[in-house]
Amino acid sequence: MKGLFAVACALPLALSHDIGGPLALVALAPLMAFSLRFDRPFAFGFLCGFFEVFMTLWGTADYSLLIPLALAVQGGLGRGALAWAIGRRSGPLLPLTVLVLAQGLRASSELSLPLSCGHDLASVWLLAWPAAFGGGALLTALCGLSAYALSHGAQQRKQALIAFFILLISAAGHEILRPTQQQSVVLKASVIQGGLPNWVYRQAAIDQAADALIRRRYLLPAANEPAGRLLILPESALRETWGQGPMSSAYRRLHASGASLIAGLNRHVDGALRNSVMFWATSLESPSFQSKRMLVPLVERDFQLLDEPELELPQGGRVMLCIESVYPRFARRADARWLLVLSNDAGVGRSSARRAFEREARLRAVEMGRSLIRAGQDGFSYAVSPRGELLWHLPRYKPGLMRIASLPGALPSLRGFAGDWLFWLCWPLLLLGLRARSAPREPDV
Amino acid sequence: MSGARQFFLLGLGLLCAALLLLRNHDALRLRDASPELRAPVWKNGLLQRSGLDSLSGSEFLCRGDSCSDAESWPVGENPQKWLASIAQLGVKRGVGERPDAPALIYTAEGWMILWAERGDRLEVVLQGRGAGVWPRSAFEGLYGLPWWGPLR
């Protein structure tokens, strides 16, 4: 019976990760409510977290079932700790700190992925603004407090609501005191989205029609763009290794015609394959590269990281390659004027996982207070303002071209300046929470 | 816990499950890339797009001006003459049990071209079945078979 209830509690969480938005504010409430009732709340929370993450990430099983399973175990440990903290009945401080710390660890550690109700709020920009103050950790805390208030009695509800409004008012104060927005970033960029499913790439080497379609979807629109523009192609838009092949020739022709080019591609260096971003400015003879960090060992076993400096894009931009955008620390360049994410979401079909990953890019924009362009192979490609508001976007799963003349200037934020301060603050608060006295338990189910 | 709360939670879970299912039931289904390029389907263990089932070895490997006179696949167990007829020059009998892609392999079912060996799949052209993608696990079945390479 406990397992059935754990799955029932996991479903609103998984749905929240899928659709995002305000459901995140209440999705933790069933887990919290039942953690108060069950004997061995850790085991109950573990089951709930396991199913929550497994259901959300099953779309990645196409790469390997080990990925959703390993991440589900991590999710289970996080939710198990939360349920244990709720079961102690010592007030909202302990569960809140456990929730934020468990989430923060999942966002900061490689081999893990940050799935969080708080991060789900980023899909509605009007709900994500507190992240400029305290990042995803603050959004997570707000979701935890609202769910706590819903699932507890009058006294604890009052404590949780007071804490909720203190955090919200602090974030509002930060908005008022934020420095003024900097000058717009003039880019003249063209983002090309091929709108092709992943299978086309997987067999392009033996299927001439597939190969031709890939070239038609990327090289034709790129060649038709007026000279002097910055052409942005997503991760592995053309899946060839940089060097002597037709892709390289096509990119050279584009560069020779007067375009600057940013494209995700593979290249061989020192005998190893690197998943990389190439930037080739019109004025330069040869391109520069930035290789992707190896974050998903099973999927990226063919790739090796090369220790090389980060690329500086036109107008002071910085680039993140695909899943790097899911980890806040890779966006932490205070000197960046705008951010770029090149992605290949098509690798996980149209599942919850890609929707959760995509949302993280918007959260990075809000946290850092920078405009952000995201170029996806078959979407979701867009430009967002430093507040996370969608400025322009292309339809998902379809080919398209997005022309961007300029982006809103940077809007400095405390989260961008001070890093994940709320996460670090939660460590001493955790000690305080552990010292608080537990209330007597109610009879078990 | 009251029965009403239990039923409420189960009802809520069911509603969420229905919505999740609605949004994800065909999330990993392969979709058409364009009206002309239909999604591939599994045919006896080979993931194949319609139109590729009749592709022959000579059509795929031809590096000459024309290969219309060449056989579709090698006749017999020695492919050297056939390889020369489609301008695949410098191809030699492979050494060792493990074929190096791209390679021509002789199997019990007939000839096959192992064009690429990827981390998660094999890209192949099979005699009588055409071009498609095999699961990576199929590679084990190719050990010890006679092979020729490198193809270009």
Side-chain angles (χ1 to χ4, degrees):
Chain A
M1 200 63 178
K2 187 186 276 187
L4 188 65
F5 280 112
V7 175
C9 291
L11 285 162
L13 290 161
L15 184 62
S16 169
H17 301 325
D18 187 311
I19 62 175
L23 175 63
L25 290 163
V26 299
L28 277 166
L31 167 65
M32 290 187 174
F34 279 82
S35 299
L36 290 166
R37 311 286 173 173
F38 278 120
D39 194 15
R40 296 168 63 201
F42 181 89
F44 173 72
F46 181 89
L47 283 175
C48 175
F50 183 92
F51 287 117
E52 169 199 346
V53 175
F54 188 80
M55 282 186 282
T56 307
L57 291 178
W58 73 271
T60 63
D62 223 22
Y63 287 113
S64 161
L65 194 61
L66 267 176
I67 294 173
L69 279 175
L71 295 171
V73 170
Q74 294 168 16
L77 291 172
R79 294 295 186 229
L82 173 65
W84 165 83
I86 293 282
R88 278 177 61 102
R89 298 168 170 275
S90 57
L93 183 62
L94 182 63
L96 184 71
T97 52
V98 166
L99 179 68
V100 172
L101 288 172
Q103 170 55 27
L105 288 171
R106 287 165 68 204
S108 58
S109 163
E110 292 176 13
L111 311 181
S112 188
L113 275 177
L115 279 174
S116 158
C117 294
H119 293 206
D120 297 342
L121 291 177
S123 60
V124 179
W125 73 276
L126 282 170
L127 295 174
W129 62 269
F133 176 56
L138 180 57
L139 298 182
T140 302
L142 290 171
C143 289
L145 285 168
S146 60
Y148 189 94
L150 277 172
S151 57
H152 284 72
Q155 195 187 343
Q156 291 101 328
R157 182 177 304 142
K158 191 177 162 190
Q159 291 173 350
L161 287 176
I162 288 171
F164 183 92
F165 284 109
I166 286 174
L167 289 175
L168 209 58
I169 289 165
S170 306
H174 168 264
E175 282 301 309
I176 292 165
L177 296 172
R178 266 176 109 168
T180 50
Q181 191 154 17
Q182 295 172 2
Q183 277 192 328
S184 298
V185 179
V186 180
L187 266 186
K188 288 188 185 167
S190 303
V191 179
I192 301 169
Q193 176 180 298
L196 293 169
N198 217 34
W199 68 261
V200 179
Y201 288 92
R202 287 164 58 93
Q203 64 180 55
I206 49 163
D207 185 346
Q208 285 184 347
D211 190 51
L213 186 61
I214 294 169
R215 285 166 208 286
R216 206 159 57 238
R217 290 280 175 91
Y218 283 105
L219 299 180
L220 212 61
N224 288 337
E225 283 300 279
R229 293 193 71 83
L230 173 66
L231 303 176
I232 300 177
L233 279 69
E235 182 187 27
S236 311
L238 275 68
R239 212 164 286 181
E240 285 176 29
T241 307
W242 176 254
Q244 302 300 320
M247 176 196 76
S248 308
S249 307
Y251 285 176
R252 286 191 183 103
R253 277 198 303 276
L254 287 172
H255 178 261
S257 71
S260 294
L261 189 66
I262 299 175
L265 47 75
N266 298 331
R267 67 195 166 111
H268 268 114
V269 181
D270 301 334
L273 202 58
R274 330 276 181 178
N275 191 359
S276 310
V277 186
M278 179 187 81
F279 171 50
W280 202 350
T282 319
S283 56
L284 296 178
E285 285 289 308
S286 54
S288 309
F289 298 93
Q290 175 182 317
S291 66
K292 184 184 172 193
R293 296 152 181 98
M294 204 178 78
L295 298 167
V296 192
L298 289 167
V299 176
E300 297 175 325
R301 61 189 155 204
D302 292 341
F303 296 105
Q304 288 187 24
L305 171 65
L306 191 66
D307 190 20
E308 57 194 353
E310 284 182 39
L311 283 178
E312 185 168 343
L313 305 180
Q315 300 290 330
R318 298 284 176 184
V319 62
M320 289 172 280
L321 200 48
C322 197
I323 207 165
E324 287 174 355
S325 62
V326 167
Y327 301 89
R329 67 184 181 282
F330 298 135
R332 278 219 63 198
R333 285 296 301 239
D335 60 342
R337 288 187 69 211
W338 62 284
L339 301 169
L340 172 66
V341 175
L342 302 185
S343 188
N344 170 22
D345 293 342
V348 285
R350 299 185 182 183
S351 63
S352 299
R354 74 178 286 167
R355 292 185 276 273
F357 294 165
E358 172 274 305
R359 209 174 288 134
E360 292 289 330
R362 297 194 228 185
L363 184 57
R364 296 295 87 77
V366 183
E367 286 177 341
M368 299 304 297
R370 300 292 189 270
S371 290
L372 181 145
I373 296 176
R374 186 176 197 274
Q377 215 173 70
D378 72 344
F380 193 24
S381 300
Y382 51 68
V384 290
S385 75
R387 295 188 190 280
E389 186 183 5
L390 274 179
L391 302 170
W392 304 279
H393 67 90
L394 291 171
R396 290 176 167 94
Y397 317 125
K398 290 185 174 156
L401 190 144
M402 180 168 62
R403 291 198 182 94
I404 298 165
S406 68
L407 292 168
L411 189 58
S413 65
L414 180 67
R415 173 64 178 80
F417 173 76
D420 203 359
W421 60 269
L422 185 58
F423 170 75
W424 295 109
L425 181 64
C426 279
W427 287 104
L429 292 177
L430 174 71
L431 296 177
L432 280 179
L434 286 169
R435 285 169 63 94
R437 288 179 60 184
S438 305
R441 294 189 73 253
E442 286 180 16
D444 296 333
V445 176
Chain B
M1 185 182 301
S2 70
R5 281 183 81 168
Q6 290 185 17
F7 275 115
F8 174 74
L9 181 73
L10 288 174
L12 180 72
L14 273 175
L15 180 68
C16 292
L19 287 170
L20 270 172
L21 205 64
L22 196 68
R23 291 172 63 84
N24 287 281
H25 71 282
D26 65 347
L28 295 182
R29 181 169 65 83
L30 301 180
R31 291 159 203 276
D32 297 345
S34 72
E36 299 79 36
L37 206 66
R38 300 283 179 190
V41 291
W42 287 100
K43 289 180 188 169
N44 299 324
L46 181 71
L47 185 65
Q48 188 175 56
R49 182 174 70 76
S50 66
L52 290 181
D53 46 0
S54 57
L55 187 71
S56 70
S58 60
E59 282 174 299
F60 185 73
L61 289 178
C62 180
R63 297 295 177 266
D65 293 334
S66 168
C67 299
S68 52
D69 294 341
E71 296 282 347
S72 298
W73 290 92
V75 179
E77 294 184 14
N78 189 344
Q80 293 290 4
K81 258 180 76 177
W82 178 77
L83 285 164
S85 73
I86 56 171
Q88 284 283 344
L89 307 173
V91 182
K92 293 178 180 161
R93 174 79 193 249
V95 180
E97 287 206 322
R98 190 182 197 283
D100 269 345
L104 180 69
I105 304 172
Y106 186 61
T107 72
E109 287 79 36
W111 290 96
M112 69 167 280
I113 298 160
L114 174 65
W115 188 247
E117 176 199 352
R118 316 278 186 191
D120 60 343
R121 67 190 186 280
L122 306 175
E123 290 159 11
V124 296
V125 185
L126 308 176
Q127 186 175 7
R129 294 177 65 187
V133 172
W134 259 355
R136 182 72 178 77
S137 54
F139 196 88
E140 285 173 20
L142 304 179
Y143 273 86
L145 295 174
W147 62 279
W148 288 259
L151 303 172
R152 62 188 179 96

